[in-house]
Amino acid sequence: IMNNIQKILLMVFFMSITIFIITGYIFYSQVRFEFEPSIWKYHKDYVDINTNWLGIIAFGNSIASLVGFFLFKDKK
């Protein structure tokens, strides 16, 4: 049986994993097909630097919520 904190952390985990998968799919489809109008690309001196910051934050958030899920295991 889970307590309220674990339920919230589990919801945050699944939301973050979903955001990570969606942004990863969008990011790699735009890199592969090289669409020019993109919010994910940063142009500087004719070098494309592509960074999926939203996906990185969502992945870190999912790991933090998973760790928190196990840390609050015995608290009621």
Side-chain angles (χ1 to χ4, degrees):
I1 296 175
M2 294 185 292
N3 56 24
N4 288 337
I5 296 173
Q6 284 181 315
K7 290 176 187 175
I8 291 170
L9 289 171
L10 197 62
M11 287 188 297
V12 170
F13 171 76
F14 282 117
M15 180 187 66
S16 298
I17 287 295
T18 304
I19 291 172
F20 175 70
I21 291 171
I22 290 171
T23 57
Y25 175 76
I26 291 171
F27 176 73
Y28 284 113
S29 68
Q30 288 181 354
V31 168
R32 185 174 56 214
F33 297 117
E34 295 181 3
F35 293 134
E36 198 57 36
S38 172
I39 61 170
W40 301 101
K41 290 186 177 181
Y42 174 68
H43 300 283
K44 182 179 179 182
D45 297 330
Y46 303 106
V47 175
D48 291 337
I49 300 171
N50 301 312
T51 305
N52 185 5
W53 289 111
L54 186 60
I56 292 170
I57 293 169
F59 183 70
N61 195 12
S62 65
I63 289 178
S65 63
L66 192 62
V67 168
F69 179 81
F70 289 110
L71 285 177
F72 289 103
K73 185 176 183 181
D74 295 331
K75 303 208 179 206
K76 291 186 179 183

